[in-house]
Amino acid sequence: MTTDWLATHRALTRWGALLLPVVVGAVLALLRDPLDPSTAAMVLVLPVVAAAATGDRVAGVLAALAAAGSFDFFLTEPYYSLSIHRQADLELAVALVVVGLAVTEIALWGRRQQAVAQRREGYISGLTHLLDLPPDTTEQARSVAIASAITTVLGADRCTWDPGHPRWNDAVVDADGQVMSGGRRLPVERVGLPTDGYAAVVVRRGEQVLGHFRVTASTHVVRPTAEQLRVAVLLADRMAVGGRAGSDRT
């Protein structure tokens, strides 16, 4: 919920990132006589960390620049001026900007890793759910469950089971998570899955094609990673385990 709120109120977040270091600098100005400049600079890093934690690079950069400006304006001689006469103060101001930018990038990297971990957890949950399907689950129920999991994993609009071969113009996801279209690899990590066609995840039992899951991504661009595509293939393969599928039906 917090992440959604920050994304919705991005402009407000950036204004807060810009103004908070100024407020902190003004408060520190009241204590500057007994306060060491290096300690003040460390305190000014805190609002930068808070801005970086929002996951917005622009907010983090604004906070870093505002923190350096506040340090210069409130805490270095001549006070209430953007001039710096002492080399040590200049070095601290520059270090404050560098540290602020570094903290922002580290925070963004951490959020990306968290997002990857959450996606991986979703994949594992989907696989675990499918592995728990009873052996006597009907083909229809199995296909619906797998199609739903593939839709979630890939972030697609929908996915349906088709007991036939893919159509000639369908993009095909292979076992390595590569998407082939017209005999060439489709760089889905850059251009996304086809929005004017379908992607097919083929299910085989030995050399026999049992059918395929037809993935639709027509309303938005979907750029799944190779890991997501490999998980989709593993999910699809559950159609070949237990029960009957495709041409094996009676």
Side-chain angles (χ1 to χ4, degrees), residues 69-89:
S70 299
F71 176 78
D72 178 14
F73 189 79
F74 293 110
L75 301 169
T76 65
E77 296 179 353
Y79 299 125
Y80 309 116
S81 168
L82 293 178
S83 300
I84 299 180
H85 292 171
R86 296 175 53 198
Q87 181 177 353
D89 290 338

Side-chain angles (χ1 to χ4, degrees), residues 33-211:
D33 290 336
L35 193 64
D36 185 78
S38 60
T39 302
M42 292 177 63
V43 173
L44 280 168
V45 170
L46 297 179
V48 180
V49 173
T54 65
D56 184 359
R57 178 179 280 106
V58 174
V61 171
L62 288 174
L65 295 176
S70 299
F71 176 78
D72 178 14
F73 189 79
F74 293 110
L75 301 169
T76 65
E77 296 179 353
Y79 299 125
Y80 309 116
S81 168
L82 293 178
S83 300
I84 299 180
H85 292 171
R86 296 175 53 198
Q87 181 177 353
D89 290 338
L90 177 61
E91 291 173 352
L92 272 175
V94 173
L96 189 55
V97 173
V98 172
V99 170
L101 295 177
V103 166
T104 298
E105 292 304 316
I106 292 171
L108 291 172
W109 177 84
R111 291 178 71 89
R112 287 194 296 268
Q113 294 301 112
Q114 182 183 23
V116 170
Q118 289 175 342
R119 287 198 301 269
R120 185 175 292 112
E121 182 180 355
Y123 307 157
I124 294 172
S125 297
L127 282 170
T128 301
H129 171 71
L130 288 173
L131 290 173
D132 290 340
L133 286 175
D136 59 348
T137 301
T138 64
E139 178 186 324
Q140 181 178 4
R142 186 180 298 275
S143 66
V144 169
I146 294 173
S148 176
I150 291 176
T151 301
T152 301
V153 165
L154 298 182
D157 293 326
R158 62 182 179 275
C159 177
T160 56
W161 169 247
D162 187 330
H165 286 260
R167 291 160 177 77
W168 67 271
N169 57 342
D170 286 346
V172 177
V173 182
D174 66 21
D176 295 327
Q178 304 293 326
V179 181
M180 307 300 295
S181 179
R184 295 185 300 177
R185 177 183 175 275
L186 186 66
V188 294
E189 68 282 357
R190 181 168 53 84
V191 302
L193 293 175
T195 55
D196 55 352
Y198 302 94
V201 185
V202 181
V203 178
R204 293 181 173 85
R205 181 179 293 150
E207 297 298 324
Q208 180 187 9
V209 173
L210 303 181

Side-chain angles (χ1 to χ4, degrees), residues 210-236:
L210 303 181
H212 68 280
F213 285 94
R214 172 173 270 201
V215 179
T216 304
S218 58
T219 63
H220 64 290
V221 178
V222 177
R223 298 184 178 90
T225 64
E227 181 183 27
Q228 288 172 280
L229 291 165
R230 284 194 294 269
V231 171
V233 171
L234 290 174
L235 290 168

